[in-house]
Coordinates of all heavy atoms in Angstrom, one line a residue:
M126 N -5.4 -6.6 6.9 CA -5.5 -5.3 6.4 C -6.4 -5.2 5.2 O -6.2 -6.0 4.3 CB -4.1 -4.8 6.1 CG -4.0 -3.3 5.6 SD -2.4 -2.7 5.3 CE -1.6 -2.6 6.8
D127 N -7.4 -4.4 5.3 CA -8.4 -4.4 4.1 C -7.9 -3.3 3.1 O -6.9 -2.6 3.3 CB -9.8 -4.1 4.6 CG -10.0 -2.6 5.1 OD1 -9.2 -1.7 4.8 OD2 -11.0 -2.4 5.9
S128 N -8.6 -3.2 2.0 CA -8.1 -2.4 0.9 C -8.0 -0.9 1.2 O -7.2 -0.2 0.8 CB -8.9 -2.6 -0.4 OG -10.2 -2.2 -0.2
Q129 N -9.0 -0.5 2.1 CA -8.9 1.0 2.5 C -7.7 1.3 3.4 O -7.1 2.3 3.2 CB -10.2 1.3 3.2 CG -11.5 1.4 2.4 CD -11.3 2.3 1.2 OE1 -10.8 3.4 1.3 NE2 -11.7 1.9 0.0
E130 N -7.4 0.3 4.2 CA -6.2 0.5 5.1 C -4.9 0.5 4.2 O -4.0 1.2 4.4 CB -6.1 -0.6 6.1 CG -7.2 -0.5 7.2 CD -7.3 -1.7 8.1 OE1 -7.1 -2.8 7.6 OE2 -7.5 -1.5 9.3
M131 N -4.9 -0.4 3.2 CA -3.8 -0.5 2.3 C -3.6 0.8 1.5 O -2.5 1.4 1.4 CB -4.0 -1.6 1.3 CG -3.8 -3.0 1.8 SD -4.1 -4.2 0.5 CE -4.0 -5.7 1.5
K132 N -4.8 1.4 1.0 CA -4.7 2.6 0.3 C -4.2 3.7 1.2 O -3.4 4.6 0.7 CB -6.1 3.0 -0.2 CG -6.6 2.2 -1.4 CD -7.9 2.7 -1.9 CE -8.4 1.8 -3.0 NZ -9.7 2.3 -3.6
A133 N -4.6 3.8 2.4 CA -4.2 4.8 3.4 C -2.7 4.7 3.6 O -2.0 5.7 3.6 CB -4.9 4.7 4.7
A134 N -2.2 3.5 3.7 CA -0.7 3.3 3.9 C 0.1 3.7 2.7 O 1.1 4.4 2.8 CB -0.4 1.8 4.3
V135 N -0.4 3.4 1.5 CA 0.3 3.8 0.3 C 0.2 5.3 0.1 O 1.2 5.9 -0.2 CB -0.4 3.1 -1.0 CG1 0.2 3.6 -2.3 CG2 -0.2 1.6 -0.9
R136 N -0.9 5.9 0.3 CA -1.1 7.4 0.2 C -0.1 8.1 1.2 O 0.6 9.0 0.8 CB -2.5 7.8 0.5 CG -3.4 7.8 -0.7 CD -4.7 8.6 -0.3 NE -5.8 7.7 -0.8 CZ -6.6 7.0 0.0 NH1 -6.4 7.0 1.3 NH2 -7.5 6.3 -0.5
Q137 N 0.0 7.6 2.4 CA 0.9 8.2 3.4 C 2.3 8.1 2.9 O 3.1 9.0 3.0 CB 0.7 7.5 4.7 CG 1.5 8.1 5.8 CD 1.3 7.4 7.2 OE1 0.8 6.3 7.2 NE2 1.7 8.1 8.2
F138 N 2.7 6.9 2.4 CA 4.1 6.7 1.9 C 4.4 7.7 0.8 O 5.4 8.4 0.7 CB 4.3 5.3 1.5 CG 5.7 5.1 0.9 CD1 6.8 5.0 1.7 CD2 5.8 5.0 -0.5 CE1 8.0 4.8 1.1 CE2 7.0 4.8 -1.1 CZ 8.2 4.7 -0.3
L139 N 3.5 7.7 -0.2 CA 3.7 8.6 -1.4 C 3.7 10.0 -1.1 O 4.4 10.8 -1.7 CB 2.7 8.3 -2.5 CG 2.7 6.9 -3.1 CD1 1.5 6.7 -4.0 CD2 4.0 6.6 -3.8
A140 N 2.9 10.4 -0.1 CA 2.8 11.8 0.3 C 4.1 12.4 0.7 O 4.4 13.6 0.5 CB 1.8 12.0 1.4
R141 N 5.0 11.6 1.2 CA 6.3 12.1 1.6 C 7.1 12.7 0.5 O 8.0 13.6 0.7 CB 7.2 11.0 2.2 CG 6.6 10.5 3.5 CD 7.6 9.5 4.1 NE 6.8 8.3 4.5 CZ 7.3 7.1 4.7 NH1 8.6 6.9 4.6 NH2 6.5 6.1 5.1
S142 N 6.9 12.3 -0.7 CA 7.7 12.7 -1.9 C 6.9 13.6 -2.8 O 7.4 14.0 -3.8 CB 8.2 11.5 -2.6 OG 9.2 10.9 -1.9
L143 N 5.6 13.9 -2.5 CA 4.8 14.6 -3.5 C 4.8 16.1 -3.3 O 4.2 16.8 -4.1 CB 3.3 14.1 -3.4 CG 3.2 12.6 -3.8 CD1 1.7 12.2 -3.7 CD2 3.7 12.3 -5.2
R144 N 5.5 16.6 -2.3 CA 5.7 18.0 -2.1 C 4.3 18.8 -2.2 O 4.2 19.7 -3.0 CB 6.6 18.6 -3.2 CG 8.0 18.0 -3.0 CD 8.9 18.5 -4.2 NE 9.9 17.5 -4.5 CZ 9.8 16.6 -5.4 NH1 8.8 16.6 -6.2 NH2 10.8 15.8 -5.6
G145 N 3.3 18.3 -1.5 CA 2.1 19.0 -1.4 C 1.1 18.7 -2.5 O 0.0 19.3 -2.5
H146 N 1.5 17.9 -3.4 CA 0.6 17.5 -4.5 C -0.5 16.6 -4.0 O -0.2 15.6 -3.3 CB 1.3 16.8 -5.7 CG 0.5 16.4 -6.8 ND1 0.1 17.3 -7.8 CD2 -0.1 15.3 -7.2 CE1 -0.6 16.7 -8.7 NE2 -0.8 15.5 -8.3
T147 N -1.8 16.9 -4.3 CA -2.9 16.0 -3.9 C -3.0 14.9 -5.0 O -3.1 15.2 -6.2 CB -4.2 16.8 -3.9 OG1 -4.0 17.9 -2.9 CG2 -5.3 15.9 -3.4
L148 N -3.0 13.7 -4.5 CA -3.0 12.5 -5.4 C -4.3 11.8 -5.3 O -4.7 11.4 -4.2 CB -1.8 11.6 -5.0 CG -1.5 10.4 -5.9 CD1 -1.0 10.9 -7.3 CD2 -0.4 9.6 -5.3
G149 N -4.9 11.6 -6.5 CA -6.1 10.7 -6.5 C -5.7 9.3 -6.6 O -4.6 9.0 -7.0
D150 N -6.6 8.4 -6.2 CA -6.2 6.9 -6.2 C -5.8 6.4 -7.6 O -5.2 5.4 -7.6 CB -7.4 6.1 -5.6 CG -7.5 6.4 -4.1 OD1 -6.6 7.0 -3.5 OD2 -8.5 6.0 -3.5
D151 N -6.3 7.0 -8.6 CA -6.0 6.5 -10.0 C -5.0 7.4 -10.7 O -4.7 7.1 -11.9 CB -7.3 6.4 -10.8 CG -8.2 5.2 -10.4 OD1 -7.6 4.1 -10.2 OD2 -9.4 5.4 -10.2
D152 N -4.5 8.4 -10.1 CA -3.5 9.3 -10.7 C -2.2 8.5 -10.9 O -1.7 7.9 -10.0 CB -3.2 10.5 -9.9 CG -4.3 11.5 -9.8 OD1 -5.3 11.3 -10.6 OD2 -4.3 12.4 -9.0
D153 N -1.7 8.6 -12.2 CA -0.4 7.9 -12.5 C 0.8 8.8 -12.1 O 1.1 9.8 -12.6 CB -0.4 7.7 -14.0 CG 0.8 6.9 -14.5 OD1 1.9 7.0 -13.9 OD2 0.7 6.1 -15.5
I154 N 1.5 8.3 -11.0 CA 2.6 9.1 -10.4 C 3.7 9.2 -11.4 O 4.5 10.2 -11.3 CB 3.0 8.5 -9.1 CG1 3.5 7.0 -9.3 CG2 1.9 8.6 -8.1 CD1 4.0 6.4 -8.0
F155 N 3.9 8.3 -12.4 CA 5.0 8.4 -13.3 C 4.7 9.4 -14.4 O 5.5 10.3 -14.7 CB 5.3 7.0 -13.9 CG 5.8 6.1 -12.8 CD1 4.9 5.2 -12.3 CD2 7.1 6.1 -12.4 CE1 5.4 4.3 -11.3 CE2 7.6 5.3 -11.4 CZ 6.7 4.4 -10.9
S156 N 3.5 9.4 -15.0 CA 3.1 10.3 -16.0 C 3.0 11.7 -15.5 O 3.2 12.7 -16.3 CB 1.8 9.9 -16.8 OG 0.7 10.0 -15.9
L157 N 2.7 11.9 -14.2 CA 2.6 13.2 -13.6 C 4.0 13.8 -13.3 O 4.2 14.9 -12.9 CB 1.8 13.2 -12.3 CG 0.3 12.9 -12.5 CD1 -0.4 12.7 -11.1 CD2 -0.4 14.1 -13.3
G158 N 5.0 12.9 -13.5 CA 6.4 13.4 -13.2 C 6.7 13.5 -11.7 O 7.6 14.2 -11.3
L159 N 6.0 12.8 -10.9 CA 6.2 12.9 -9.4 C 7.2 11.9 -8.9 O 7.6 12.0 -7.7 CB 4.8 12.6 -8.7 CG 3.7 13.6 -9.1 CD1 2.4 13.1 -8.5 CD2 4.0 15.0 -8.7
V160 N 7.7 11.0 -9.7 CA 8.5 9.9 -9.2 C 9.8 9.8 -10.1 O 9.7 9.9 -11.3 CB 7.8 8.6 -9.2 CG1 8.6 7.4 -8.8 CG2 6.6 8.7 -8.3
H161 N 10.9 9.6 -9.5 CA 12.2 9.4 -10.2 C 12.6 7.9 -9.9 O 12.0 7.2 -9.1 CB 13.3 10.4 -9.7 CG 13.4 10.4 -8.2 ND1 14.1 9.4 -7.5 CD2 13.0 11.3 -7.3 CE1 14.1 9.7 -6.2 NE2 13.4 10.9 -6.1
S162 N 13.6 7.5 -10.6 CA 14.0 6.1 -10.6 C 14.3 5.6 -9.2 O 14.0 4.4 -8.8 CB 15.1 5.8 -11.6 OG 16.2 6.6 -11.2
L163 N 15.0 6.3 -8.4 CA 15.4 5.9 -7.1 C 14.1 5.7 -6.2 O 14.0 4.8 -5.4 CB 16.3 6.9 -6.4 CG 16.7 6.6 -5.0 CD1 17.4 5.2 -4.9 CD2 17.7 7.7 -4.4
F164 N 13.1 6.6 -6.4 CA 11.9 6.5 -5.6 C 11.1 5.2 -6.0 O 10.4 4.6 -5.2 CB 11.1 7.7 -5.7 CG 9.9 7.8 -4.7 CD1 10.1 7.8 -3.4 CD2 8.6 7.7 -5.2 CE1 9.1 7.8 -2.5 CE2 7.6 7.7 -4.3 CZ 7.8 7.8 -2.9
T165 N 11.3 4.8 -7.3 CA 10.6 3.6 -7.8 C 11.1 2.4 -6.9 O 10.3 1.6 -6.5 CB 10.9 3.4 -9.3 OG1 10.5 4.5 -10.0 CG2 10.2 2.1 -9.8
V166 N 12.4 2.4 -6.7 CA 13.0 1.3 -5.9 C 12.5 1.4 -4.4 O 12.1 0.4 -3.8 CB 14.5 1.4 -5.9 CG1 15.1 0.4 -4.9 CG2 15.1 1.1 -7.3
Q167 N 12.3 2.6 -3.9 CA 11.8 2.8 -2.6 C 10.3 2.3 -2.5 O 9.9 1.8 -1.5 CB 11.9 4.3 -2.2 CG 13.3 4.7 -2.0 CD 13.5 6.2 -1.7 OE1 12.7 7.0 -2.2 NE2 14.5 6.5 -0.9
I168 N 9.6 2.6 -3.6 CA 8.2 2.1 -3.6 C 8.1 0.6 -3.5 O 7.4 0.0 -2.7 CB 7.4 2.5 -4.9 CG1 7.2 4.1 -4.9 CG2 6.1 1.8 -5.0 CD1 6.8 4.6 -6.2
I169 N 9.0 -0.1 -4.2 CA 9.0 -1.6 -4.2 C 9.4 -2.1 -2.8 O 8.8 -3.0 -2.3 CB 10.0 -2.1 -5.3 CG1 9.4 -1.8 -6.7 CG2 10.2 -3.6 -5.1 CD1 10.4 -2.0 -7.8
L170 N 10.4 -1.5 -2.2 CA 10.8 -1.9 -0.9 C 9.7 -1.6 0.1 O 9.5 -2.4 1.0 CB 12.1 -1.2 -0.5 CG 13.4 -1.6 -1.3 CD1 14.5 -0.7 -0.9 CD2 13.7 -3.0 -1.1
F171 N 9.0 -0.5 0.0 CA 7.9 -0.2 0.9 C 6.8 -1.2 0.8 O 6.3 -1.7 1.8 CB 7.3 1.2 0.5 CG 5.9 1.4 1.0 CD1 5.7 1.7 2.3 CD2 4.8 1.3 0.2 CE1 4.4 1.9 2.8 CE2 3.6 1.5 0.6 CZ 3.3 1.8 2.0
I172 N 6.5 -1.6 -0.4 CA 5.4 -2.6 -0.7 C 5.8 -4.0 0.0 O 5.0 -4.6 0.7 CB 5.2 -2.9 -2.2 CG1 4.6 -1.6 -2.8 CG2 4.3 -4.1 -2.4 CD1 4.5 -1.6 -4.3
E173 N 7.1 -4.4 -0.2 CA 7.5 -5.7 0.3 C 7.5 -5.6 1.9 O 7.1 -6.6 2.5 CB 8.9 -6.0 -0.2 CG 8.9 -6.4 -1.7 CD 10.2 -6.7 -2.2 OE1 11.3 -6.3 -1.7 OE2 10.2 -7.5 -3.2
K174 N 8.0 -4.6 2.4 CA 8.2 -4.5 3.9 C 6.8 -4.3 4.6 O 6.5 -5.0 5.6 CB 9.1 -3.3 4.3 CG 9.3 -3.2 5.7 CD 10.2 -2.0 6.0 CE 10.4 -1.8 7.5 NZ 11.1 -0.6 7.9
T175 N 6.0 -3.4 4.0 CA 4.7 -3.0 4.7 C 3.7 -4.2 4.6 O 3.0 -4.4 5.5 CB 4.2 -1.8 4.1 OG1 5.1 -0.7 4.2 CG2 2.9 -1.3 4.7
F176 N 3.6 -4.8 3.4 CA 2.6 -5.8 3.2 C 3.1 -7.2 3.2 O 2.3 -8.1 2.9 CB 1.9 -5.5 1.8 CG 1.3 -4.1 1.8 CD1 1.9 -3.1 1.0 CD2 0.2 -3.7 2.6 CE1 1.3 -1.8 0.9 CE2 -0.3 -2.4 2.6 CZ 0.3 -1.5 1.7
H177 N 4.4 -7.4 3.5 CA 4.9 -8.7 3.7 C 4.8 -9.6 2.5 O 4.3 -10.7 2.6 CB 4.4 -9.4 5.0 CG 4.5 -8.5 6.2 ND1 5.6 -8.2 6.8 CD2 3.5 -7.9 6.9 CE1 5.4 -7.5 7.8 NE2 4.1 -7.2 7.9
V178 N 5.1 -9.0 1.3 CA 5.1 -9.8 0.1 C 6.5 -9.7 -0.6 O 7.2 -8.7 -0.3 CB 4.0 -9.2 -0.9 CG1 2.6 -9.4 -0.4 CG2 4.2 -7.8 -1.3
E179 N 6.8 -10.6 -1.4 CA 8.0 -10.6 -2.1 C 7.7 -10.4 -3.6 O 7.1 -11.3 -4.2 CB 8.8 -11.9 -1.9 CG 10.2 -11.8 -2.4 CD 11.0 -13.0 -2.0 OE1 10.9 -13.5 -0.9 OE2 11.8 -13.5 -2.8
L180 N 8.1 -9.3 -4.2 CA 7.9 -9.0 -5.6 C 9.0 -9.5 -6.4 O 10.2 -9.4 -6.1 CB 7.7 -7.5 -5.8 CG 6.6 -6.9 -5.0 CD1 6.6 -5.4 -5.2 CD2 5.2 -7.4 -5.4
E181 N 8.7 -10.1 -7.6 CA 9.7 -10.5 -8.5 C 9.9 -9.3 -9.4 O 9.2 -9.1 -10.4 CB 9.1 -11.7 -9.3 CG 10.2 -12.4 -10.2 CD 11.4 -12.9 -9.5 OE1 11.2 -13.6 -8.5 OE2 12.5 -12.6 -9.9
V182 N 11.0 -8.6 -9.1 CA 11.3 -7.3 -9.7 C 11.5 -7.5 -11.2 O 11.1 -6.6 -12.0 CB 12.5 -6.6 -9.1 CG1 12.9 -5.3 -9.8 CG2 12.2 -6.4 -7.6
S183 N 12.1 -8.6 -11.6 CA 12.3 -8.8 -13.1 C 11.0 -9.0 -13.9 O 11.0 -8.7 -15.1 CB 13.2 -10.0 -13.3 OG 12.6 -11.2 -12.8
E184 N 10.0 -9.3 -13.2 CA 8.7 -9.5 -13.9 C 7.7 -8.3 -13.6 O 6.6 -8.3 -14.2 CB 8.0 -10.8 -13.4 CG 8.8 -12.0 -13.8 CD 8.2 -13.3 -13.2 OE1 7.0 -13.3 -12.8 OE2 8.9 -14.3 -13.2
L185 N 8.1 -7.4 -12.8 CA 7.3 -6.3 -12.4 C 7.2 -5.2 -13.5 O 8.3 -4.9 -14.1 CB 7.8 -5.6 -11.1 CG 7.0 -4.6 -10.4 CD1 5.7 -5.2 -9.9 CD2 7.7 -4.0 -9.3
K186 N 6.0 -4.8 -13.8 CA 5.9 -3.7 -14.9 C 5.6 -2.4 -14.1 O 4.9 -2.4 -13.1 CB 4.7 -4.1 -15.8 CG 5.0 -5.3 -16.7 CD 3.8 -5.6 -17.6 CE 4.1 -6.7 -18.5 NZ 4.3 -8.0 -17.9
I187 N 6.1 -1.3 -14.7 CA 5.9 0.0 -14.0 C 4.4 0.3 -13.9 O 4.1 1.0 -12.9 CB 6.7 1.0 -14.8 CG1 7.0 2.2 -14.0 CG2 6.0 1.5 -16.1 CD1 8.2 2.0 -13.0
E188 N 3.6 -0.2 -14.8 CA 2.1 0.1 -14.7 C 1.6 -0.5 -13.4 O 0.6 0.0 -12.9 CB 1.4 -0.5 -15.9 CG 1.8 0.1 -17.2 CD 3.0 -0.5 -17.8 OE1 3.3 -1.7 -17.5 OE2 3.7 0.2 -18.6
Q189 N 2.1 -1.5 -12.9 CA 1.6 -2.2 -11.7 C 1.8 -1.4 -10.4 O 1.2 -1.6 -9.4 CB 2.3 -3.6 -11.5 CG 1.9 -4.5 -12.6 CD 2.7 -5.8 -12.4 OE1 3.9 -5.9 -12.8 NE2 2.0 -6.8 -11.9
I190 N 2.7 -0.4 -10.5 CA 2.9 0.5 -9.3 C 2.7 2.0 -9.6 O 3.3 2.8 -9.0 CB 4.4 0.2 -8.7 CG1 5.5 0.5 -9.7 CG2 4.4 -1.2 -8.1 CD1 6.9 0.5 -9.1
S191 N 1.9 2.2 -10.6 CA 1.8 3.6 -11.1 C 0.7 4.4 -10.4 O 0.7 5.7 -10.6 CB 1.5 3.6 -12.6 OG 0.2 2.9 -12.8
S192 N -0.1 3.8 -9.6 CA -1.1 4.6 -8.8 C -1.4 3.9 -7.5 O -1.0 2.7 -7.3 CB -2.4 4.7 -9.7 OG -3.1 3.5 -9.7
V193 N -2.1 4.6 -6.7 CA -2.5 4.0 -5.4 C -3.3 2.7 -5.6 O -3.0 1.6 -5.0 CB -3.3 5.0 -4.5 CG1 -3.9 4.3 -3.3 CG2 -2.4 6.2 -4.1
N194 N -4.3 2.8 -6.5 CA -5.1 1.6 -6.8 C -4.4 0.5 -7.4 O -4.6 -0.7 -7.0 CB -6.3 2.0 -7.7 CG -7.4 2.7 -6.9 OD1 -7.6 2.5 -5.7 ND2 -8.2 3.5 -7.6
K195 N -3.4 0.8 -8.3 CA -2.6 -0.3 -8.9 C -1.7 -1.0 -7.9 O -1.6 -2.2 -7.9 CB -1.8 0.3 -10.1 CG -2.6 0.8 -11.2 CD -3.1 -0.4 -12.0 CE -3.7 0.1 -13.3 NZ -4.2 -0.9 -14.2
I196 N -1.2 -0.2 -7.0 CA -0.3 -0.8 -5.9 C -1.2 -1.7 -5.0 O -0.7 -2.9 -4.7 CB 0.4 0.3 -5.1 CG1 1.4 1.0 -6.0 CG2 1.0 -0.3 -3.9 CD1 2.0 2.3 -5.3
V197 N -2.3 -1.3 -4.6 CA -3.2 -2.1 -3.8 C -3.6 -3.4 -4.6 O -3.6 -4.5 -4.0 CB -4.4 -1.3 -3.3 CG1 -5.5 -2.2 -2.7 CG2 -4.0 -0.2 -2.4
E198 N -3.9 -3.3 -5.9 CA -4.2 -4.4 -6.7 C -3.1 -5.4 -6.7 O -3.3 -6.6 -6.5 CB -4.5 -4.0 -8.1 CG -5.9 -3.8 -8.5 CD -6.0 -3.4 -10.0 OE1 -5.3 -4.0 -10.9 OE2 -6.7 -2.4 -10.2
L199 N -1.9 -4.9 -6.9 CA -0.7 -5.8 -6.9 C -0.5 -6.5 -5.6 O -0.3 -7.7 -5.6 CB 0.5 -4.9 -7.2 CG 1.9 -5.6 -7.2 CD1 2.0 -6.7 -8.2 CD2 3.0 -4.6 -7.3
V200 N -0.7 -5.8 -4.5 CA -0.5 -6.4 -3.2 C -1.6 -7.5 -3.0 O -1.2 -8.6 -2.5 CB -0.6 -5.3 -2.1 CG1 -0.7 -6.0 -0.7 CG2 0.6 -4.4 -2.1
Q201 N -2.8 -7.2 -3.3 CA -3.9 -8.2 -3.1 C -3.6 -9.4 -4.0 O -3.8 -10.5 -3.5 CB -5.2 -7.5 -3.5 CG -5.7 -6.5 -2.4 CD -6.9 -5.8 -2.7 OE1 -7.2 -5.5 -3.9 NE2 -7.7 -5.4 -1.7
Q202 N -3.1 -9.2 -5.2 CA -2.8 -10.4 -6.0 C -1.7 -11.2 -5.4 O -1.7 -12.4 -5.3 CB -2.3 -9.9 -7.4 CG -3.4 -9.4 -8.3 CD -2.9 -8.8 -9.6 OE1 -1.7 -8.6 -9.8 NE2 -3.8 -8.6 -10.5
E203 N -0.6 -10.5 -4.9 CA 0.5 -11.2 -4.3 C 0.0 -12.0 -3.0 O 0.5 -13.1 -2.7 CB 1.6 -10.3 -4.0 CG 2.3 -9.7 -5.2 CD 3.0 -10.8 -6.0 OE1 3.6 -11.7 -5.4 OE2 2.9 -10.7 -7.2
L204 N -0.8 -11.4 -2.2 CA -1.3 -12.0 -1.0 C -2.2 -13.2 -1.3 O -2.3 -14.1 -0.5 CB -2.1 -11.0 -0.1 CG -1.2 -9.9 0.5 CD1 -2.1 -8.9 1.2 CD2 -0.2 -10.5 1.5
N205 N -2.8 -13.2 -2.4 CA -3.7 -14.3 -2.8 C -3.0 -15.5 -3.5 O -3.5 -16.5 -3.8 CB -4.9 -13.8 -3.7 CG -5.8 -13.0 -2.9 OD1 -6.0 -13.3 -1.7 ND2 -6.4 -12.0 -3.5
N206 N -1.7 -15.3 -3.8 CA -0.9 -16.3 -4.5 C -0.4 -17.3 -3.5 O -0.1 -17.1 -2.4 CB 0.2 -15.7 -5.3 CG -0.3 -15.1 -6.6 OD1 -1.3 -15.4 -7.1 ND2 0.5 -14.2 -7.2

C-alpha cells in the first residue's frame, strides 16, 4: 500500500466521525475539536488493524495521530522498523 492509498484509507475512516467536515491532510483533528477520547482509541485500533502494525500505546504521542499526514508518517515508520 503506497502513501496515497494509506491517506485515502485514513480519510475514509475519519470521515465517519467528522459529520460533513472537510478535512485537509494537515488539519489537526484534536485542535479542531473533531475527536473525543474514545475515538482516539478507535483511531489507534484502526491503524493497527488496517496497516498490520503494533503501536506501543504508552510511547505514542497525540501529535503522531493528529492529522492524516501524521498518521501515514507513523504507519510508514512502523512498517520500516
Side-chain angles (χ1 to χ4, degrees):
M126 184 178 289
D127 68 21
S128 64
Q129 290 304 317
E130 292 170 320
M131 288 179 187
K132 285 182 184 185
V135 172
R136 273 191 229 103
Q137 182 179 18
F138 174 78
L139 294 175
R141 292 186 229 162
S142 293
L143 297 181
R144 299 174 208 95
H146 180 81
T147 302
L148 186 66
D150 288 347
D151 288 314
D152 289 350
D153 186 323
I154 59 177
F155 296 99
S156 68
L157 292 172
L159 301 173
V160 176
H161 51 75
S162 58
L163 179 58
F164 191 64
T165 303
V166 173
Q167 291 173 328
I168 292 170
I169 293 167
L170 294 173
F171 161 78
I172 293 168
E173 291 182 331
K174 181 179 176 187
T175 303
F176 302 110
H177 310 288
V178 296
E179 189 172 324
L180 300 176
E181 188 60 50
V182 177
S183 63
E184 296 176 14
L185 189 64
K186 294 180 175 65
I187 204 75
E188 297 84 25
Q189 293 174 286
I190 58 170
S191 63
S192 71
V193 172
N194 282 335
K195 293 285 186 177
I196 292 171
V197 171
E198 264 180 48
L199 174 64
V200 169
Q201 288 174 330
Q202 287 174 349
E203 292 297 319
L204 291 173
N205 291 327
N206 283 341

